[in-house]
Amino acid sequence: ASKQPSSPDTMKVLVVLAGLLLAASHVSQCAVHLPKIFGDNMVMQTNNEYGARSFIWGTANPGEKVTVSRKPGSDEYIVNADKQGKWKVMLNPTGVGQKHDITVAGESGPAITLADVLWGNVLLCSGQSNMQIPVSYILNATATIAEADKYSNIRLFQVAMETSATPKDDLNGTWKINSAKTVPPFSAVCYMTALWMSRFHWGDTPIGLIQSDWGGTPIQAWMSPEALKQCGEFEEDIQVQEKSDDVTGPGTPSCLYNAMINPLIGMTVRAALWYQGEANVGQGRDAYVCNLGTMIQSWRDVWGIGDFTWLNVQLAPYKSTGYVSGVRLAETDVRPHSGGPIDIVGTAVIIDLGDPSGIIHPHNKTEVGRRMALQLLHNALAVQYPNVTFSGPEFKSAVEESSGNIVISFDYAEGMYMGDTHGCDMNEGCCGNYSAFEVSADNETWIKAEAKFAAGSVQIQQSSGKTVKYVRLDISNFPGCALYNSAQLPAAPFIKEVTSWQERLEREVPLVMERPMLTGSQDLSTPPMGFNSWNFYHCNIDERIVMKTADAFVSKGLAAAGYQYVNIDDCWQVERAADGTIVADPVRFPSGMKALADYVHSKGLKFGLYTAQAEFTCQKRPGAWQHELQDAATYCEWGIDYLKIDGCGGRRNPHTNDSWILFKQGFDKCKQQTGRQIVMSVESCHDVSGCGAWIPSLANLWRTCGDIQANWKSIMSNLDRNNGMASVAKVGHYNDPDMLQVGDTGLSITEAKAHFSMWNIAMAPLLAGNDVIGMDNETVSILTSPEVVAINKDTLGKQGTRVSAANTTGGEVWARQLSDHSVAVGLLNRGDATTTITATWDMLNITAGSKAAVRDLWAQKDLSVASGQFSSAVQSHEVVLVKITPQ
């Protein structure tokens, strides 16, 4: 047909349609966007039972206001997108099993609503084919799939398999409710771990499983370029990758990290589960230790939630030309040990679960999942032996006796025996004609050795005539015999040095016990300054983080600015020994608290811990009830400088101050013995005429309000409640409105500076609650601003207060009298619009009509000489902080 000319009416329609399309395009560009990991039916991590806060993030127009709300409830979070259009909010603590619809709305474009969002525990599962193997493949697949509908509390997310030469912000996948239809293609190890956790401990608690794996891939594909460079094993491959955007395959260094891990960074998880190593059996033990350990820590460092639990599956027996045992040894080498670089890592040993056909993918993933769940109970939830036998016999020591025989001692060794592995006839044979133990004089030539069992140990008969310097267990690709305990869990393969008879004698010479380290008397003429782990790390804290935080105090200038205390909050303790002594978590603090305190002291800093006066801490760890004097003596021996005493649950003394009195008696005794005072911070006191009448005689600090959150409303609430206790504070004894949220997700820079300003005005302890190790320069500049911090160091000891009328939607004047007769003044704008705030001399107790110099403490510059009053325009949620000095 011939082309007809357009009529005027047709042209009008086309113009209108073009306008509509342009408008639609504009709306699409302006609309807020969420990564695909956020979707209907998802599970977000609860902070209950040692969990952590959850985050939501996305993009919008630069500077656009984004509102996140949860229903049911009244939670609302408001944030502005940054210059790149990125935004992120931290959600308030949320209990297990709660269900919400979450709505994210920008200033333009349609809102996004996430329906049926559950709160529970999230597990990230990654690795190669043995993690990827689906539920439909395993031995009991039919029964497992048939009962899947009973576990609709489990939600599944499979990350689409993609590669990328550069880090991506998003990935592909959708959340699915677990059912007989959705579970068959899902990772069997990941799913069976969750299923066993439901049976062991979590019950109906929602569990979110994120599967991000790819068969046949080496570990370097899952590592960031920065992590790879730390080990130097793949430097040539990295250089090629940096020169080209072409990704040749899933084995390319960092290509899976970029596409399948980087978009997940920030998604709060309970633990990561890792099953990989088959593609690296030719790499060697030391190299794989470096790569695995570096990868674990690099993921944790960028994730922004602290050191979350990491669990490995040790490689099963299989026929290979590579050195399978080298990777197996590496997978146990990364477990926590005194002085080790990595904490909170568990390994499920499956040395006995090889497939009889010798294939690389053993079918019994149900038992693999059970052993991973046992490790999860211990490493993530701090359930201790013998309440749960989470491991097979674990090597403790190998020592030579005077007879020349070797005694190998084990933990978790009840009922030890040698047993056949599954498919043992594939290699050397089963236990009947195969010795799992071997000895060597040079770590090269090995001799089979017979083992005799005793309580908690194995004795190796010495018959070679040579001095035995090394022992090993199950070092072969397909061991036929394993060492078990009564829980039918096998020991991990090992190669260990033997302590000779002479070395043993030298070690048994009694040592003279040193007195607890003297760290000097505490200067409490001004409020303590330091760090507390809770706001940022929650329970994802360990000795590595504490040591690096102490290092950062020095390197980033916090120590020079006056910050001294490095304090661990809840979750460091797990149980009491038979004699009642408090015990630190061995997977988080393998070197012990005394060693950690010594390290912090070596940096010229002070070290603090947390307890609760009740039977249990807030995270259900052992509290101090009926152990106050014993704990005080233990903390004195460890060299502790600061103790936070919470309230929390279970049985407790009849009166709130009973526990505090006992601790004070213990700390007074410590001071008499060592000359060292332990700062005592208690929770809580918020009644001027009640506890306020006597609290300064007991404690150095006392909480005046609830837990602070990283939002403006919470900060203002704590400020107001703390203000009501101002008359109680004095030198050496301070009101505590809770730790700082400066640098944490949820506050703008303006709000962070206002928060810090008001805590200085309020003569509050300055305990940073952010990631001190990774904080940016802007956060450092706030925390160390010299003239602002100088307010808190003022020795007059008079808490600042509100001196104007209260105005919850507008401007207020707060003031603190200083020792040089000047006044620190904060013009606080609580409202949503810029307003002018005026401080009159009458408010500040300055002679009416007199002149006074005004200095901006943040800008560190003189503003003017004012007469009678000072006024300033103050932005929304801002504090103009000045020092006014009468002339």
Side-chain angles (χ1 to χ4, degrees), residues 637-656:
E637 180 183 351
W638 287 350
I640 302 305
D641 304 294
Y642 184 114
L643 183 70
K644 173 182 174 181
I645 307 172
D646 211 336
C648 285
R651 293 172 290 181
R652 63 180 67 207
N653 294 307
H655 307 100
T656 300

Side-chain angles (χ1 to χ4, degrees), residues 458-527:
V458 172
Q459 186 180 76
I460 302 296
Q461 297 284 341
Q462 168 61 293
S463 58
S464 67
K466 296 182 179 180
T467 300
V468 172
K469 294 185 177 181
Y470 301 91
V471 295
R472 71 182 191 181
L473 172 70
D474 280 334
I475 303 300
S476 69
N477 287 354
F478 206 116
C481 187
L483 176 65
Y484 293 88
N485 58 16
S486 59
Q488 299 181 350
L489 294 173
F494 61 78
I495 301 175
K496 299 292 183 180
E497 290 189 52
V498 175
T499 300
S500 70
W501 173 246
Q502 183 59 37
E503 289 174 318
R504 180 182 176 185
L505 288 177
E506 293 172 356
R507 291 181 183 181
E508 290 177 352
V509 174
L511 298 176
V512 177
M513 296 300 293
E514 297 180 356
R515 295 183 67 192
M517 178 180 288
L518 296 179
T519 57
S521 60
Q522 310 280 32
D523 179 8
L524 292 174
S525 60
T526 60

Side-chain angles (χ1 to χ4, degrees), residues 102-122:
I102 300 177
T103 299
V104 181
E107 296 177 290
S108 59
I112 301 171
T113 296
L114 310 177
D116 189 29
V117 176
L118 302 180
W119 297 84
N121 294 291
V122 181

